[in-house]
Amino acid sequence: MQLPIIVKRPFRIIAHRGASAYAPENTWAAFKLAVDMGVKDIELDVQLSIDGEVVICHDLSLERYGHPGYVEAMSWAELSQLDMGSWFSPYLFHGEKILRLQDLFKECGSEITYHVELKGKSDKLPGQVCRVIEDFNLGDHVIITSFSYETLERVSAIAPCLRLGWLVRKIDDDVLSKARALEVFQICPRADLLTKKAVRLARSVVPEVRAWGVNGSREEVLALIQTTIDAGCDGTTVNWPDWISH
Ligand code: G3P
Ligand code: CA
């Protein structure tokens, strides 16, 4: 297949954890690369440090990144010292730092739509994330996502104007009725489980359907991207944001 796959706007090409196929996920290196590729949508994962900073990190444990301990058990002073790049490539990314949500907002401002996934377990996470968004007046540039419907309910109670994206495996009747009840902005099904019919149904309930879980071999990834486009999705996360273009 010829690259990049061309798709019509306003399909969202969402750099998953930044351009995470090419640089350590959720770091400035990965976000900057995505921006340089012309991407306007970035997905990222957030958790709360023990002293209440909203930090950008996917795994709860730091083991995969080469460190002991858990994000939520550490202070920002401790987390900010970690090398988050060497696990990916010591030559290219040694010393890459963990970021806070506010650091990314400071760098990219309103140039980007941020798909902020609430990953951490702390009860205080939704409130702290909403506070940072408000501090930067970036509510119109954020979609809050979660696999947890209860977490999205909490966000909605704190900041009713924020757009919500509900991460689910499949679109079914239960998902549709709960999405309607909470007035979520996006239903986000797994790319390999979506069908044209389900996407059409979901779009009669919510403004957007965007996919996730675009992984596998090169051929599998390209086929999944094409599936999301053919099914009528409004976007997808992708670790290779340069493989799709408008
Ligand atoms: O966009 C959703 C996707 O990021 C969810 O999976 O594990 O990459 O956070 P994960
Ligand atoms: Ca995520």
Side-chain angles (χ1 to χ4, degrees):
M1 189 187 283
Q2 179 95 11
L3 286 184
I5 295 173
I6 302 297
V7 65
K8 284 196 188 117
R9 288 183 209 280
F11 187 92
R12 296 180 190 272
I13 301 164
I14 309 168
H16 181 235
R17 313 182 198 168
S20 59
Y22 306 109
E25 64 184 43
N26 282 320
T27 65
W28 176 240
F31 297 137
K32 167 84 166 55
L33 197 51
V35 170
D36 289 348
M37 287 171 174
V39 164
K40 296 290 178 203
D41 286 75
I42 284 177
E43 193 268 353
L44 59 131
D45 305 281
V46 293
Q47 308 180 44
L48 217 54
S49 66
I50 202 163
D51 50 347
E53 294 288 336
V54 179
V55 298
I56 303 178
C57 188
H58 180 274
D59 292 11
L60 303 183
S61 157
L62 290 160
E63 194 183 342
R64 188 162 58 92
Y65 314 113
H67 307 290
Y70 288 82
V71 172
E72 291 184 332
M74 292 168 74
S75 67
W76 171 242
E78 292 168 319
L79 290 165
S80 63
Q81 298 304 310
L82 298 177
D83 170 4
M84 294 296 277
S86 290
W87 70 276
F88 191 90
S89 164
Y91 179 74
L92 292 174
F93 298 110
H94 171 79
E96 197 64 39
K97 297 291 183 210
I98 203 164
L99 293 177
R100 292 169 298 185
L101 185 59
Q102 66 182 76
D103 302 320
L104 183 61
F105 282 172
K106 227 173 265 171
E107 285 295 338
C108 296
S110 58
E111 292 300 300
I112 295 295
T113 296
Y114 305 89
H115 300 250
V116 179
E117 183 182 349
L118 304 193
K119 211 61 163 181
K121 303 291 173 215
S122 167
D123 282 353
K124 296 188 182 120
L125 182 63
Q128 289 292 86
V129 169
C130 292
R131 189 186 53 75
V132 177
I133 294 166
E134 198 184 329
D135 285 351
F136 283 80
N137 196 23
L138 284 174
D140 292 346
H141 298 271
V142 170
I143 299 170
I144 300 282
T145 73
S146 179
F147 283 101
S148 160
Y149 188 77
E150 293 69 33
T151 299
L152 295 179
E153 283 180 312
R154 295 193 53 214
V155 173
S156 170
I158 298 165
C161 290
L162 284 182
R163 292 176 291 179
L164 304 175
W166 187 18
L167 300 163
V168 297
R169 287 181 77 251
K170 276 175 102 158
I171 298 167
D172 59 24
D173 288 345
D174 186 49
V175 163
L176 293 175
S177 69
K178 287 172 88 175
R180 183 186 284 116
L182 191 56
E183 294 185 13
V184 308
F185 179 71
Q186 289 177 335
I187 293 176
C188 309
R190 216 172 75 184
D192 61 336
L193 298 177
L194 57 81
T195 63
K196 221 177 213 172
K197 187 176 164 213
V199 171
R200 197 172 51 240
L201 259 178
R203 286 186 96 235
S204 68
V205 171
V206 295
E208 291 192 7
V209 176
R210 77 94 166 145
W212 63 277
V214 173
N215 287 309
S217 68
R218 185 179 188 276
E219 288 66 33
E220 286 165 339
V221 167
L222 294 175
L224 282 173
I225 293 170
Q226 199 59 56
T227 298
T228 67
I229 295 167
D230 294 346
C233 287
D234 299 278
T236 186
T237 49
V238 60
N239 301 356
W240 299 262
D242 57 338
W243 287 8
I244 324 178
S245 186
H246 290 124

